[in-house]
Amino acid sequence: MSKNREFQWRRLHSLLGIIPVGLFLVFHLSLNFTATGGEENYNNSIGIMEYVPHWLLLIVEWVVIYIPILFHGLYGVYIAFTATHNVKRFGTFRNWMFAIQRFTGVFLVIFIAWHIFQTRIQKALGTDVDFNMMEEIVANPLMLAFYIVGILSATFHLSNGIWSFLVSWGITQSPKSQKIASYVTMVFFVVLSIVGVAAILAFV
């Protein structure tokens, strides 16, 4: 019963990493990508959120974003420090992906917490979250590097997480299907990374 319960928790962890956390990441990076069109374009894009009633926005943020991310992050840290590699089942490449997945997961807990502090919490304290805010943040080269590493960690973690999700949910069972999924998720990683990095560099 204990092993079955843990298996179900891991499946839930995997599912939440895709829906809604993964979908939110894609939306968030896509919204930030509008910064490549200039300050006015970006401010107009994020300004759409102002039309959503504040109470509804809070509910959506907590139910769709914060609670799933909190569970996924904390349980992910638990997995990172308790899981063991499985060389016989997945081979060297997959074990490297496994190790990087765990490392990026732990790093993302720190990065996301800091990003929320610099943006969402500052907004709650009365600071405008706009192009100028992000421009000031990444004006520091160390902070820019921190954000780029954070973005790449997030895009890798999601992309490789999709592969793990397909396996853990029994969608890709054969070695061939898992290999195809590896190629597809790697392409997804590259495309999403370009979008994310281009977006943050637009503020420089």
Side-chain angles (χ1 to χ4, degrees):
M1 290 295 293
S2 177
K3 290 184 177 180
N4 183 59
R5 189 181 302 111
E6 182 176 358
F7 174 71
Q8 295 303 327
W9 278 116
R10 285 176 179 258
R11 292 187 74 181
L12 176 61
H13 169 263
S14 178
L15 177 62
L16 290 178
I18 307 300
I19 306 170
V21 177
L23 291 178
F24 172 72
L25 174 63
V26 174
F27 169 77
H28 189 54
L29 293 181
S30 299
L31 190 63
N32 287 346
F33 187 73
T34 61
T36 59
E39 179 178 349
E40 183 178 356
N41 190 44
Y42 175 75
N43 288 340
N44 288 337
S45 296
I46 64 173
I48 295 176
M49 303 303 295
E50 299 298 328
Y51 293 101
V52 180
H54 184 65
W55 63 270
L56 178 59
L57 185 61
L58 282 177
I59 292 176
V60 172
E61 284 181 335
W62 279 100
V63 175
V64 178
I65 303 173
Y66 297 137
I67 293 177
I69 284 180
L70 189 61
F71 171 80
H72 187 79
L74 293 180
Y75 195 72
V77 170
Y78 165 76
I79 293 176
F81 288 101
T82 58
T84 56
H85 296 269
N86 194 334
V87 180
K88 292 183 179 180
R89 182 178 179 186
F90 294 122
T92 305
F93 172 75
R94 266 299 135 198
N95 273 273
W96 272 108
M97 296 298 100
F98 180 96
I100 298 173
Q101 184 75 356
R102 300 312 178 242
F103 172 79
T104 55
V106 173
F107 176 77
L108 283 170
V109 171
I110 300 171
F111 174 74
I112 292 173
W114 182 254
H115 180 54
I116 290 176
F117 170 76
Q118 282 193 310
T119 56
R120 192 65 187 88
I121 293 180
Q122 296 307 310
K123 181 179 181 179
L125 295 175
T127 304
D128 291 330
V129 177
D130 55 15
F131 190 95
N132 289 333
M133 168 189 263
M134 291 306 303
E135 189 176 41
E136 290 177 6
I137 290 175
V138 299
N140 183 332
L142 292 179
M143 192 55 63
L144 174 61
F146 179 64
Y147 265 77
I148 290 176
V149 173
I151 290 169
L152 293 177
S153 295
T155 54
F156 173 85
H157 197 79
L158 172 59
S159 302
N160 192 61
I162 292 174
W163 184 91
S164 299
F165 168 81
L166 294 174
V167 173
S168 63
W169 282 80
I171 299 173
T172 53
Q173 299 184 22
S174 68
K176 182 179 180 180
S177 63
Q178 292 176 11
K179 186 175 183 179
I180 293 174
S182 292
Y183 289 130
V184 173
T185 53
M186 281 192 288
V187 170
F188 179 71
F189 163 65
V190 171
V191 173
L192 194 59
S193 295
I194 291 174
V195 170
V197 173
I200 199 66
L201 291 180
F203 297 107
V204 177

